Amino acid sequence: MNPGDRVRVDRADRSYEGVLLPSSTDEQLVVKLEGGYNVGIDREDAAVDVLEEDVYEIDGSGADDEGGSAVEFDADLPTIALISTGGTIASTVDYRTGAVTAQFDAEDVLRAVPDLAGRANYRGRVVANILSENMEPPIWQDLARAVRDEIEDGADGVVVMHGTDTMQYSASALAFMLETPVPIVFTGSQRSADRPSSDNVMNAVCAVEAAKSDCAEVMVCMHASESDDRCALHRGTRVRKNHTSRRDAFETVGAEPLGEVDYDSEAVSFRRDYQQRNESEVDLGLEADLEEDVELLKFTPGMDPAFLDIVEGSEGLVLEGTGLGHVHTDLIPRIEELIEDGTTVVMTSQCLEGRVCDRVYDTGRDLLEAGVIEAGDTLPGTAKVKLMWALANADSVPEAMETSLAGELQERSTPWE
């Protein structure tokens, strides 16, 4: 028996029927039941009958030394590259400890999400196998190069499987690094595959459908509501995770989502302008250099000015100020010293809606006079990633930070309904 086979497992007076999944240990069988639960069963206590072999056939013969693999179903279907970085969507349960661990590669995700079968030809690649809190800028660079290689090798779209906690940072990084002719879609899962309420299947299916669409941008595809009906497509530089555990945790800030995918009909629709697919363009623009010595600091009332000493000598600092982009006036002289010493300082706002404008009050005018750069309505996390990219690639960092490069900076900040 092999993963992907439909099996019946008898143990004592109970029987389990479902699809055999890869196990984290040699001593355990893991079976996905029809109801959505995974069960772990000791091999030595179980009698197993294979009901049907290769229900979800996965051909790993195309694996290469760099961790790539090929999964083909139909030569007439588009080719989608599945790139795994880890996270809950690519996790399993260790039935010895009960812990959820990130250990699946792209092939394992196909086994765990059999609904992906028949939608595309798949190529798999593992760039990292980490939980997203361990994501680092060098992995963004590895990821950008892997995406570039997959597209140049003929992929019609790319799906990046990523942990949700830092997905918005990684999506922003790729949006600045790559000029892509095809869709690049980030997706993940708020709840692990062993839970009946898991969102991994719908998110993965909708992400593949989005990767087959005409939108050649970096997007994040996650549940649009708590129901299993549709996924929202968020522009990678305008999205934010706004809830710790809800399945519809991701929201586009300051606008409607770019589009959505209807799960039942598989229809992909867009409600805003987007960069269209350009299949004739295979030589991607890739600017993957990053200045990593950039910090993001949130101002709060009563903050000790000594916090600014920590970033002394840094190449860049993004401040998350109050309202229109303010900090305590006592901090401004120290900020000016940092700028004079060579640190690029960018101002964003803690507010979820609206843009910074340091020309309204005296504090803001003093910040501008000190040399602080306004980031408009760019989200603070996105601004940090953008500053890292701009310091390494832009001819003029102030001009880059005040210009929309990948949809991160909107012309107007107005409420929407």
Side-chain angles (χ1 to χ4, degrees), residues 100-364:
V100 177
T101 58
Q103 58 184 340
F104 277 8
D105 64 16
E107 287 184 322
D108 294 323
V109 171
L110 288 179
R111 292 188 181 100
V113 190
D115 295 48
L116 292 177
R119 298 175 184 275
N121 301 319
Y122 297 105
R123 290 207 304 258
R125 176 181 294 210
V126 179
V127 169
N129 193 9
I130 59 173
L131 297 172
S132 68
E133 57 264 33
N134 295 327
M135 183 60 64
E136 297 179 341
I139 303 178
W140 295 340
Q141 296 172 310
D142 292 341
L143 179 58
R145 296 185 184 104
V147 171
R148 186 266 319 268
D149 292 346
E150 290 295 334
I151 295 173
E152 289 186 343
D153 287 344
D156 298 299
V158 178
V159 172
V160 179
M161 292 165 286
H162 195 290
T164 60
D165 285 349
T166 62
M167 185 188 296
Q168 61 207 55
Y169 292 89
S170 298
S172 290
L174 260 64
F176 294 123
M177 291 179 182
L178 281 167
E179 293 183 15
T180 177
V182 304
I184 300 172
V185 186
F186 280 74
T187 194
S189 179
Q190 285 283 84
R191 301 173 186 177
S192 56
D194 64 303
R195 298 175 62 184
S197 63
S198 176
D199 50 340
N200 70 326
V201 172
M202 191 176 100
N203 290 346
V205 167
C206 290
V208 167
E209 294 301 326
K212 293 157 56 178
S213 76
D214 190 45
C215 179
E217 294 195 23
V218 177
M219 296 175 280
V220 169
C221 177
M222 296 288 290
H223 265 56
S225 70
E226 279 284 77
S227 300
D228 290 321
D229 54 358
R230 56 194 171 88
C231 278
L233 298 176
H234 307 279
R235 181 166 277 142
T237 56
R238 292 298 311 176
V239 68
R240 174 187 167 106
K241 182 177 178 178
N242 280 342
H243 198 282
T244 59
S245 58
R246 282 176 63 103
R247 299 194 299 176
D248 58 343
F250 283 77
E251 299 179 32
T252 294
V253 178
E256 294 180 284
L258 192 61
E260 66 180 26
V261 182
D262 185 278
Y263 184 44
D264 291 332
S265 69
E266 303 174 6
V268 183
S269 59
F270 294 92
R271 57 174 61 95
R272 298 162 58 197
D273 292 338
Y274 58 87
Q275 188 69 34
Q276 293 189 346
R277 176 188 291 271
N278 183 2
E279 296 182 353
S280 64
E281 180 63 57
V282 294
D283 185 14
L284 284 78
L286 173 64
E287 295 178 301
D289 291 340
L290 292 172
E291 173 53 68
E292 295 186 41
D293 190 15
V294 174
E295 300 297 335
L296 171 59
L297 180 62
K298 185 184 186 77
F299 166 75
T300 58
M303 188 176 77
D304 190 333
F307 275 103
L308 291 173
D309 296 339
I310 298 174
V311 298
E312 183 175 4
S314 297
E315 291 297 320
L317 170 64
V318 175
L319 286 171
E320 191 175 317
T322 61
L324 294 173
H326 298 152
V327 298
H328 195 290
T329 53
D330 289 349
L331 298 181
I332 296 177
R334 186 67 181 101
I335 292 172
E336 185 172 12
E337 291 176 359
L338 292 175
I339 294 172
E340 290 175 349
D341 290 341
T343 300
T344 299
V345 179
V346 174
M347 181 64 71
T348 63
S349 177
Q350 299 169 10
C351 299
L352 294 182
E353 304 280 353
R355 62 203 310 109
V356 299
C357 182
D358 283 317
R359 294 169 177 82
V360 178
Y361 298 100
D362 287 344
T363 300

Side-chain angles (χ1 to χ4, degrees), residues 61-78:
S61 61
D64 55 36
D65 293 336
E66 297 181 353
S69 57
V71 184
E72 296 187 359
F73 294 93
D74 188 331
D76 294 328
L77 292 173

